[in-house]
Amino acid sequence: MPWTQGPGRPQGIPDVAVVLNQRIITRESLDSSVPAALKLKKRIKRFALDNELDHLPLGDIVAVAMDEWLSTRGF
């Protein structure tokens, strides 16, 4: 299914790096289910272990991925 291209990234949306580098961030919840076949939970755990991370900011990773996905589609 082809996606409809949006009119462009909306004005007033800051760059994701600027937002994530702020000390205090107002957050909202995004609830979603992902295909089990992708084994994302297992891969995330492996990434964290291999990189000796005590805490992996999953919400920040999702924010970067979704912002990039929407921006490339003009939203």
Side-chain angles (χ1 to χ4, degrees), residues 44-74:
I44 289 166
K45 286 180 185 177
R46 182 79 257 163
F47 176 85
L49 286 171
D50 288 355
N51 288 281
E52 299 178 2
L53 299 172
D54 292 331
H55 172 71
L56 189 61
L58 188 56
D60 292 355
I61 294 168
V62 170
V64 170
M66 290 302 306
D67 183 66
E68 182 177 310
W69 188 84
L70 287 166
S71 293
T72 59
R73 286 157 180 80

Side-chain angles (χ1 to χ4, degrees), residues 7-51:
R9 184 181 176 92
Q11 297 257 333
I13 303 285
D15 184 77
V16 69
V18 170
V19 173
L20 294 179
N21 284 319
Q22 292 177 1
R23 186 179 151 132
I24 298 173
I25 303 171
T26 301
R27 294 184 179 262
E28 62 185 5
S29 179
L30 265 184
D31 297 323
S32 65
S33 297
V34 295
L38 297 177
K39 299 185 181 193
L40 293 174
K41 287 174 112 179
K42 182 178 180 178
R43 292 163 60 195
I44 289 166
K45 286 180 185 177
R46 182 79 257 163
F47 176 85
L49 286 171
D50 288 355
N51 288 281

